Amino acid sequence: KTQGIALGEQIAAAVQADRASDGTNVPDTYRPVTSPGVWVPTTLPIFAQYARAKPWVLTSADQFRPGPPPQLSSALYARDYNETKTVGGVKSTTRTAAQTEAVKYWTQANLGPAWQTAARQLSEAKKLSLAENARLFALLNTGVANTFITDWDAKFTYNFWRPVTAIRNADVDGNDATGRDPGWIPLNDTPMHPEYPSQAAIISGVAVGVMEAVFGPKPAIPFTTADLFDPKLQRPFKSIAEMDEEHKNVRVWGGIHFRNSLDVGYDMGKKIAVYLVNNSFKPAH
């Protein structure tokens, strides 16, 4: 035990030294875009400096940067706009009670820890060895760390508006299929960073990619997640796929994302997972 603690401390010191100049510990110099004298929101975005940070293992933050979001005049944008407007508003009459309950459970604080819980319970069920566990959690946690860097790179490249802005300004988007609602409010509080791509979806994509690489396609072992601040508040799942699906949908049900942003973010996450699996943390023999 003593030797294990000492080894862990040595590894932690090496990681801290390696990441000391990774770009995440610099002042936030985000500059709001405006004209002189024109008001803009004064709450700054979260972790804007991550858009320029050094990723783990990947060659660059923009290695998996996707193409731009759909044109505002497109049918795809109208489809996503109307879905989020209909189901994601605080006064929605189409969102079910079960969907509302799921939205309230999946706060930002629960997104990452839930995948750690799933990994631990699957590891226990599969009786992974110490070396196999080390690889599993190295892949999972470097993957999740990369999601913030690669996603923030894309978010601040495209600066795409959130549904609350889009729906209140639909009269200027040039799309006849999007009707304006000047008083629309999302069920979730809107995060302070651009909409595209979805951070929840990219985390889900990388986590599923890692899990399938370690446990095989579509792991179907039941597990239960618990709220980070209230362990008595729990959600059981029959499989990784079931949590994955809910994990993504709640961002539309909560009114803070468009469907295409979820699809693109998820694809980014899967690509990150594949790259990490193929280029680092090889299985022990």
Side-chain angles (χ1 to χ4, degrees):
K1 181 179 179 179
T2 300
Q3 291 176 337
I5 292 173
L7 176 60
E9 290 174 342
Q10 292 173 19
I11 294 171
V15 170
Q16 292 282 6
D18 178 68
R19 304 298 296 183
S21 58
D22 66 359
T24 62
N25 298 313
V26 299
D28 183 353
T29 56
Y30 177 81
R31 181 172 178 169
V33 178
T34 184
S35 301
V38 177
W39 180 85
V40 293
T42 53
T43 299
L44 293 174
I46 300 172
F47 303 138
Q49 65 269 37
Y50 274 57
R52 302 181 300 274
K54 172 187 173 183
W56 297 80
V57 183
L58 305 185
T59 59
S60 64
D62 63 355
Q63 183 174 347
F64 296 112
R65 182 192 292 171
Q71 293 290 321
L72 298 184
S73 58
S74 68
L76 176 59
Y77 175 74
R79 180 204 71 178
D80 292 351
Y81 172 100
N82 286 304
E83 179 189 19
T84 299
K85 179 186 176 186
T86 300
V87 75
V90 69
K91 296 181 180 179
S92 172
T93 58
T94 62
R95 186 181 54 248
T96 67
Q99 290 170 338
T100 299
E101 182 182 351
V103 170
K104 292 181 178 179
Y105 176 82
W106 286 110
T107 63
Q108 187 67 39
N110 284 335
L111 291 179
W115 289 108
Q116 306 291 331
T117 297
R120 288 195 300 271
Q121 293 184 28
L122 266 67
S123 169
E124 183 176 6
K126 290 290 190 178
K127 309 296 182 184
L128 294 192
S129 68
L130 179 62
E132 289 169 333
N133 270 318
R135 176 173 180 260
L136 166 63
F137 287 98
L139 286 169
L140 179 60
N141 286 287
T142 55
V144 170
N146 277 334
T147 68
F148 287 93
I149 297 170
T150 56
D151 196 29
W152 261 235
D153 164 78
K155 281 179 179 290
F156 286 95
T157 293
Y158 297 118
N159 283 301
F160 198 61
W161 59 5
R162 288 280 182 172
V164 66
T165 309
I167 293 168
R168 287 172 173 243
N169 291 279
D171 56 333
V172 297
D173 67 11
N175 194 324
D176 292 338
T178 60
R180 180 182 182 232
D181 183 345
W184 190 88
I185 300 173
L187 178 61
N188 263 355
D189 291 334
T190 299
M192 285 304 299
H193 44 79
E195 192 272 339
Y196 176 88
S198 163
Q199 175 62 16
I202 193 173
I203 287 180
S204 190
V206 80
V208 170
V210 167
M211 299 283 194
E212 291 188 337
V214 174
F215 298 109
K218 302 185 183 303
I221 300 171
F223 60 92
T224 300
T225 66
D227 183 83
L228 188 64
F229 300 107
D230 182 7
K232 295 180 181 178
L233 182 60
Q234 300 182 342
R235 287 189 77 76
F237 296 97
K238 298 176 182 177
S239 66
I240 288 292
E242 186 179 36
M243 186 170 86
D244 173 37
E245 191 67 17
E246 181 173 281
H247 195 268
K248 292 179 294 184
N249 279 319
V250 292
R251 305 323 245 181
V252 169
W253 299 341
I256 60 174
H257 269 302
F258 298 117
R259 177 68 58 186
N260 180 70
S261 186
L262 299 173
D263 295 340
V264 171
Y266 190 76
D267 182 63
M268 288 174 66
K270 294 297 287 286
K271 289 177 179 177
I272 291 170
V274 169
Y275 190 88
L276 289 178
V277 168
N278 290 336
N279 292 277
S280 62
F281 313 117
K282 298 299 183 180
H285 296 289

